Amino acid sequence: MENWIDTYSMMVNLKPHAVDKRKGVLIGFNVNIDKIIEINPMIISKIISSEAFDQTDLTKNPPSYIESVVDFFLCLFHSIKHGKADEVLTNSQELSNWIEKTFEIKETKIGGQAGIIANLYSTLGLKQVLLSLPVLDNNLISLLNSNILTLSNSDTGYSINKISRKDDPIEKPLVHYIFEFSTGTYVIGNQKIDCNRANRFILSHDEINTKLKFNVGFLDYCGEFLSEYSLAIISGFHLIDRKMNPSLSFYDVIKPVETMLKKWKLTTPNLCLHMEIASTKDIELRKTIIETLFPLVDSIGLNEQELMSFIEVISSKLTDNLRESMGSVLVFKALNEILNRYPNLRIHFHYLGYYLILSKPIEQRKAIIRKQGLLMSSLLAAIKAEGKEITSLDEIQSASIDISKEGLEDIKQLQEHLETTYSIKNNLLQNGIVHSSSFSLIGVPTIVVKNPKVIVGLGDLISSISIFYETQ
């Protein structure tokens, strides 16, 4: 325990503000408005009792698409029951109006992985954060940091400018309702649901990102500016919706992005492409994402639910095993299966008690930097979870370093597996770095925040800080 406290303390003293903030970062594609709603057993009990429907229906299996209040509760309670993060789409304005009228909205802020990461990077002082906005909507723009850049087009071509407000509002829905649920016993009629892990459920009413809208200037104009950028982060593919694209296959929707990424890699071979994974319901969409994008990107970031769903495309047996237990050895086997199929990937897995990054073998110097990036992301995630604003990398000095005992045990079990299976002698538990002839693995136990005040966007922060630190 003391060893990892010392390791974190050493990271705090490394003066992380010395990273190069002049290098540019490209970010796309999902940007939306998040409306945060806090719920607990008392709030839900009050709302349920005021609604006129059969409460026994609220324990059935949830639908894959939300069209009514009952559908909403089915999905919400499924997420609460399992203490897991989830996101489901709706195209019902009536339901959206009911949500606005029924629940108290705690906060409205920028949402979408691309929007959250762009705001974070800009707030931390990066000079060139270039964001692909799906639409130029004033409500959206007002929630973004004013120093963020975007591409503007005119009759004479494209130019890069700071985001500015436009006169024409976009009336199509672009709102994601984030229901942050607390632990406790939720009573539904004569049934009870025990929630042992606070998390969040997202209801997305979004007719923009479901079509994977992006600024085409990023394809047409990239040859003029791309050399100034060292990192690109892409996301939002999980929102592609069959109903919003009735005449197109999933591949048809993704193909323009595939074309763009190929051009980016051709234009700037050293550009690091990181893709942030999110909960993706449709297995056909998951398969299309894997087959189309995994060969093109250099890095992916995902949590336990996302790993479980995406590994299903590759190995149903591993998915079944993970459903029974999220043990670190089973997680490693699933990550390694992905790496065996796509050896080009740096695979970043973040979980409640530990983070792992698995890739093909790398030099020890790069492994140390990669480990430092994980430590940095853990420190900042702890600060954000406490409800504090992050305005500088130097704020890691204020983090309380309470190491996850569960995370330490998970890493210990994984180390024993590595010793037995791969004859690896260097100790993952003590050093956080192990190498074999086929892979390099970096792992750190995380910092525990006992009563987190913020959970939305933590995964995006963890992945984006790690890849930023490593590449910059």
Side-chain angles (χ1 to χ4, degrees), residues 167-219:
D167 294 330
D168 300 325
I170 303 297
E171 297 182 356
K172 290 185 178 181
L174 197 66
V175 178
H176 294 209
Y177 297 99
I178 317 292
F179 292 86
E180 297 184 341
F181 55 83
S182 64
T183 57
T185 300
Y186 291 76
V187 179
I188 309 165
N190 60 358
Q191 301 185 58
K192 295 180 179 180
I193 295 178
D194 291 321
C195 177
N196 299 316
R197 178 183 175 187
N199 217 315
R200 65 9 174 213
F201 170 75
I202 304 175
L203 171 68
S204 297
H205 189 205
D206 187 340
E207 292 185 15
I208 303 296
N209 291 294
T210 48
K211 296 183 178 180
L212 197 63
K213 295 285 187 181
F214 68 91
N215 189 325
V216 295
F218 277 69
L219 172 61

Side-chain angles (χ1 to χ4, degrees), residues 76-93:
L76 174 65
F77 289 137
H78 185 263
S79 187
I80 289 173
K81 180 179 180 180
H82 297 281
K84 70 173 186 177
D86 202 1
E87 180 171 6
V88 186
L89 294 167
T90 184
N91 63 356
S92 171
Q93 185 60 50

Side-chain angles (χ1 to χ4, degrees), residues 393-410:
L393 292 176
D394 290 334
E395 289 182 16
I396 62 172
Q397 297 173 14
S398 66
S400 299
I401 304 174
D402 185 8
I403 307 298
S404 169
K405 294 179 181 178
E406 292 80 6
L408 284 169
E409 181 60 31
D410 282 324

Side-chain angles (χ1 to χ4, degrees), residues 260-271:
M260 181 166 62
L261 298 185
K262 287 180 177 178
K263 186 172 182 180
W264 285 4
K265 296 297 285 186
L266 185 64
T267 304
T268 310
N270 292 328
L271 177 71

Side-chain angles (χ1 to χ4, degrees), residues 218-326:
F218 277 69
L219 172 61
D220 298 340
Y221 188 61
C222 68
E224 302 296 324
F225 68 85
L226 202 57
S227 61
E228 299 178 19
Y229 292 80
S230 59
L231 172 64
I233 297 178
I234 59 173
S235 59
F237 304 96
H238 65 293
L239 292 169
I240 300 173
D241 181 25
R242 289 180 185 271
K243 292 187 177 183
M244 298 304 297
N245 304 275
S247 63
L248 300 175
S249 68
F250 287 131
Y251 177 69
D252 290 333
V253 179
I254 292 177
K255 187 176 180 179
V257 173
E258 178 192 35
T259 301
M260 181 166 62
L261 298 185
K262 287 180 177 178
K263 186 172 182 180
W264 285 4
K265 296 297 285 186
L266 185 64
T267 304
T268 310
N270 292 328
L271 177 71
C272 176
L273 282 174
H274 173 82
M275 179 167 65
E276 196 60 17
I277 305 295
S279 176
T280 308
K281 298 287 185 183
D282 195 303
I283 191 168
E284 184 183 335
L285 176 55
R286 277 178 263 149
K287 183 178 180 182
T288 305
I289 291 171
I290 288 174
E291 293 178 349
T292 307
L293 299 177
F294 276 27
L296 291 177
V297 300
D298 304 295
S299 173
I300 59 172
L302 70 175
N303 64 19
E304 72 277 15
Q305 295 299 328
E306 294 148 7
L307 173 62
M308 197 182 305
S309 65
F310 273 78
I311 199 65
E312 183 181 10
V313 177
I314 297 173
S315 170
S316 58
K317 181 180 179 181
L318 283 171
T319 303
D320 293 338
N321 292 339
L322 288 171
R323 285 198 181 102
E324 294 181 9
S325 169
M326 285 301 300

Side-chain angles (χ1 to χ4, degrees), residues 109 116 120 379-390 449 452-458 460-461:
K109 57 184 181 180
I116 291 170
L120 173 66
L379 288 160
L380 290 179
I383 292 169
K384 183 172 181 177
E386 291 173 351
K388 300 174 184 177
E389 290 294 324
I390 298 173
V449 176
K453 295 180 180 179
V454 175
I455 52 177
V456 175
L458 286 182
D460 304 327
L461 180 150

